[in-house]
């Protein structure tokens, strides 16, 4: 079966040149092939497109209607192809970016204005979510996730390492005492994060591979690091969170790190995660490169810590 779009192009060229022969020359096709395309269209449509005579061709009423439709379809096709081609040269379009709440508020949203200055044709839709999102099903172009990447149908790029810290407000430590060992934590108010592994709020892991575990408890657990940070600032207890959640408070002295007798767990790195494809959209590549630039060589949350 002949290609329908090509047949439309042949038809429009025949109308423009006034003959099958001239259309063939313009399209580098034989007159026989031009005839096949027109015959295929007439067979498919069940109408006659041209009045044929030995001296000239003229359109039938059906041919005039079909010409209008073909011209619109081919013009739209050319516009689409041009738009796609331009996207390969310059990032443009809507970019749907998803990131964890605490991280996005502090270290994504503040740097987006500069991204918009560099790429004014890209509109960013920022989604804040601590749960694991389905990149494909939910229609995100790019998601930032703090996790170890297992083999999957998705692609990823490491953007930065993430370090955890145990800390509390100076007032809490003055009142409850400063824990020296990880076993001491069982006698303290420990505010737990609920979105980790099952039982995570009541189990804190230490050692580079998490090989040492301590049972803890506290008056509050939450599924958001910002909520736990604010509770810790108010003196409610100890928190064990990534540095990026508490970096500003450590610098200002609102929170104080607690050295312990075991290494803190090695947190998963920050990854940019995006869909597989023959080519990655230019807008996605631009955002990933920009984030990598902003978070290296040392991420901003690690700078100037006491």
């Amino acid at each position: 079966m002949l290609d329908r779009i090509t047949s439309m192009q042949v038809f429009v060229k025949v109308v423009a040149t006034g003959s099958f022969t001239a259309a063939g020359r313009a399209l580098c096709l034989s007159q026989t092939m031009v005839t096949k395309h027109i015959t295929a269209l007439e067979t498919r449509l069940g109408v006659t497109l041209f009045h044929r005579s030995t001296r000239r061709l003229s359109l039938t009423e059906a041919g005039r209607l079909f010409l209008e439709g073909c011209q619109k379809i081919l013009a739209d096709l050319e516009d689409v192809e041009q738009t796609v081609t331009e996207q390969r040269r310059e990032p443009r379009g809507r970019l749907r970016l998803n990131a964890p709440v605490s991280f996005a508020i502090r270290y994504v949203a503040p740097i987006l204005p500069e991204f918009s200055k560099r790429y004014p044709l890209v509109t960013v839709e920022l989604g804040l979510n601590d749960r694991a999102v389905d990149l494909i099903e939910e229609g995100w172009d790019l998601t930032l996730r703090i996790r170890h990447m297992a083999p999957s149908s998705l692609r990823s790029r490491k953007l930065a390492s993430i370090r955890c810290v145990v800390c509390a407000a100076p007032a809490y430590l003055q009142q409850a005492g400063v824990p020296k060992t990880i076993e001491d934590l069982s006698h303290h108010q420990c505010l737990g994060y609920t979105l980790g592994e099952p039982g995570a709020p009541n189990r804190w892991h230490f050692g580079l591979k998490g090989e040492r575990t301590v049972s803890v408890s506290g008056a509050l657990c939450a599924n958001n690091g910002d909520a736990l940070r604010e509770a810790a600032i108010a003196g409610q207890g100890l928190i064990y969170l990534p540095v990026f959640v508490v970096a500003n408070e450590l610098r200002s002295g609102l929170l104080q790190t607690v050295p312990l007798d075991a290494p803190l767990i090695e947190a998963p790195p920050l990854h940019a995660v995006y869909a597989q494809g023959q080519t990655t959209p230019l807008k996605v590549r631009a955002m990933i490169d920009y984030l990598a630039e902003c978070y290296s060589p040392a991420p901003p949350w690690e700078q100037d810590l006491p």
Side-chain angles (χ1 to χ4, degrees), residues 95-106:
L95 173 68
R96 301 191 72 227
L97 170 63
N98 188 281
V101 177
S102 300
F103 184 82
I105 290 173
R106 292 197 167 196

Side-chain angles (χ1 to χ4, degrees), residues 7-268:
S7 295
M8 289 181 180
Q9 293 170 328
V10 170
F11 169 71
V12 171
K13 187 62 69 175
V14 169
V15 174
T17 59
S19 76
F20 286 24
T21 303
R25 282 198 300 267
L27 296 172
C28 297
L29 296 173
S30 67
Q31 182 177 344
T32 300
M33 185 55 69
V34 172
T35 302
K36 285 184 177 180
H37 277 287
I38 301 303
T39 301
L41 284 174
E42 291 179 327
T43 301
R44 174 185 295 277
L45 298 171
V47 298
T48 300
L49 297 174
F50 292 102
H51 295 298
R52 296 169 173 83
S53 69
T54 55
R55 291 185 299 174
R56 61 189 294 269
L57 289 173
S58 62
L59 287 170
T60 63
E61 182 63 27
R64 282 192 291 272
L65 290 173
F66 191 60
L67 176 64
E68 293 176 8
C70 287
Q71 289 172 330
K72 183 179 185 306
I73 289 171
L74 295 175
D76 288 345
L77 179 61
E78 185 174 346
D79 287 344
V80 169
E81 289 179 341
Q82 183 175 352
T83 298
V84 172
T85 300
E86 288 176 351
Q87 282 193 318
R88 296 189 61 177
R89 293 196 297 265
E90 183 177 7
R92 64 173 60 222
R94 180 176 294 275
L95 173 68
R96 301 191 72 227
L97 170 63
N98 188 281
V101 177
S102 300
F103 184 82
I105 290 173
R106 292 197 167 196
Y107 297 105
V108 178
I111 63 176
L112 290 181
E114 177 59 30
F115 179 83
S116 295
K117 288 181 183 178
R118 293 190 192 185
Y119 306 105
L121 299 181
V122 178
T123 301
V124 179
E125 177 185 340
L126 179 61
L128 279 59
N129 210 315
D130 284 336
R131 67 173 175 82
V133 299
D134 189 312
L135 192 75
I136 306 302
E137 185 174 325
E138 298 180 38
W140 297 104
D141 296 301
L142 178 66
T143 181
L144 303 183
R145 285 293 164 241
I146 299 169
R147 67 183 186 187
H148 296 293
M149 296 301 301
S152 73
S153 59
L154 300 174
R155 302 175 66 183
S156 65
R157 175 175 169 183
K158 179 181 174 181
L159 297 178
S161 296
I162 300 295
R163 186 170 61 91
C164 289
V165 64
V166 176
C167 59
Y172 172 83
L173 297 174
Q174 183 176 359
Q175 177 185 5
V178 179
K180 304 295 184 183
T181 69
I182 60 174
E183 284 76 18
D184 291 344
L185 296 174
S186 61
H187 305 297
H188 279 264
Q189 287 287 319
C190 295
L191 313 182
Y193 182 65
T194 61
L195 286 185
E197 63 178 59
N202 300 318
R203 258 199 329 262
W204 283 7
H205 298 278
F206 295 88
L208 296 181
K209 303 300 180 182
E211 63 272 13
R212 296 183 65 181
T213 303
V214 177
S215 294
V216 297
S217 62
L220 173 70
C221 57
N223 65 355
N224 176 262
D226 290 332
L228 296 174
R229 182 191 65 233
E230 294 306 309
I233 292 172
Q236 196 167 6
L238 292 151
I239 51 176
Y240 189 4
L241 291 173
V243 168
F244 68 78
V245 180
V246 295
N248 291 342
E249 290 69 30
L250 293 175
R251 295 186 188 101
S252 67
L254 287 174
L255 293 174
Q256 177 181 324
T257 58
V258 176
L260 295 167
D261 65 339
L264 304 188
I265 191 170
E266 184 177 319

